[in-house]
Amino acid sequence: MKLLFSLCALVLSVDAFVIQQPKSFLAGKTPQQQQQQQSTSQLYMISKTVKRVKDSILSKERSREDLKIGIAGFYDRSSQLWEDVWGEHMHHGYYIPEDRTDHVQAQIDLIDEVLKWASVDPSKPPTKVVDVGCGIGGSSRHIATKYGCSAQGITLSPYQANRGNELAKEQGLADQTNFQVADALDMPFEDNTFDLVWSLESGEHMPDKKQFVNELFRVATPGGRIIVVTWCHRDLEEGETSLTRKEEKLLAKINRAYYLPRWCSVNDYVELMKEQGATDIRREDWSYIIAPFWKAVIKSSLNVRSVVGLLKSGFSTQRGAYAMFLMLRGFNKGLIKFGLLTCTKPEEK
């Protein structure tokens, strides 16, 4: 199956082989020089495409810069399809009871239940929130409406930032919320700015988990609440120094599809929070709570509208759809966990 998808990538990239040089670039050259230049360009594109296919087949780990570019492109291409099928919330749902079928409400409920679990006090609501990895801003706008606070969202995807601001204007929240393109590892905010730092299903994209946690703490106010909901691999058992080779191989396949770096465990996040002097650290595994969402997503992809949208969205989105089955396999094997973490930034002395 993976080879089939890689061959699809080669076919979809065939247009790159016949890219013509702009006339201005060829001006002044003899016909022989022009032909040589065209041949060199085509060979370069062929070589580049073959390398991309080879890296995909071998599940090669991407560089930090490649991840950054790839994440932005992936979400630029796939976000509209997701919104068309599922709406403005680009995350999993809360399935208690597990047989519920109101999937959009389940996504909204996940936000509220996480806030409740993290002890965000409605009588002392946050005033300034940052949504790190905001998607098209569903969580930001919901939290801003719920608490009457302001919210800033950051994403690597220009499409998502623009769409988030469009939806904020449509919903009358343009004065409360704002979305911009920014790197979570180098946020464009002053120290001690937000009393609620929120990251829902974005931590898995961070190539440097330590820097990610450092930035969450830097922008939080002293005494501010930090909430991280993220996909992690299982905690290592006593005596283990790493995951098994089979587990690493499965995660590597998923990483290529979703532009992910190496994974970490929930316990790794706990240790990073401890290094920051965090207080009131809590963690929980909600894998069982979100499990029914997988089947719902897969089922939703089987209707004509979704299939047509997927075919139009390009290879990377199609590969991401295929990778859902890999995620489900890891989830069923107990390798992949849906981890919740929360803590408080220490008060300044």
Side-chain angles (χ1 to χ4, degrees), residues 174-242:
D175 292 337
Q176 280 180 258
T177 62
N178 180 68
F179 305 96
Q180 61 181 298
V181 174
D183 189 344
L185 302 183
D186 185 21
M187 288 191 268
F189 306 119
E190 298 293 329
D191 297 357
N192 307 322
T193 299
F194 303 99
D195 52 358
L196 176 58
V197 177
W198 170 270
S199 173
L200 177 58
E201 296 185 41
S202 64
E204 55 269 19
H205 280 298
M206 308 302 167
D208 186 338
K209 302 296 193 291
K210 182 179 177 65
Q211 179 61 19
F212 172 51
V213 172
N214 288 350
E215 278 293 276
L216 299 182
F217 275 82
R218 182 185 67 79
V219 301
T221 58
R225 171 67 55 184
I226 296 170
I227 301 173
V228 178
V229 181
T230 185
W231 288 100
C232 293
H233 67 60
R234 65 174 177 82
D235 287 341
L236 298 181
E237 301 290 341
E238 187 174 351
E240 282 188 311
T241 57
S242 66

Side-chain angles (χ1 to χ4, degrees), residues 71 75 79 87-91 111 129-143 151-165 167 177-182 184 187 189 198-203 205-206 212:
I71 291 166
Y75 285 110
S79 295
E88 63 182 318
H89 295 286
M90 303 185 69
H91 56 80
I111 301 170
V129 178
V130 62
D131 186 351
V132 183
C134 62
I136 58 174
S139 294
S140 303
R141 290 186 296 275
H142 180 76
I143 292 173
Q152 296 279 335
I154 62 169
T155 172
L156 290 174
S157 164
Y159 175 87
Q160 288 187 336
N162 292 335
R163 183 60 180 147
N165 285 319
L167 289 170
T177 62
N178 180 68
F179 305 96
Q180 61 181 298
V181 174
M187 288 191 268
F189 306 119
W198 170 270
S199 173
L200 177 58
E201 296 185 41
S202 64
H205 280 298
M206 308 302 167
F212 172 51

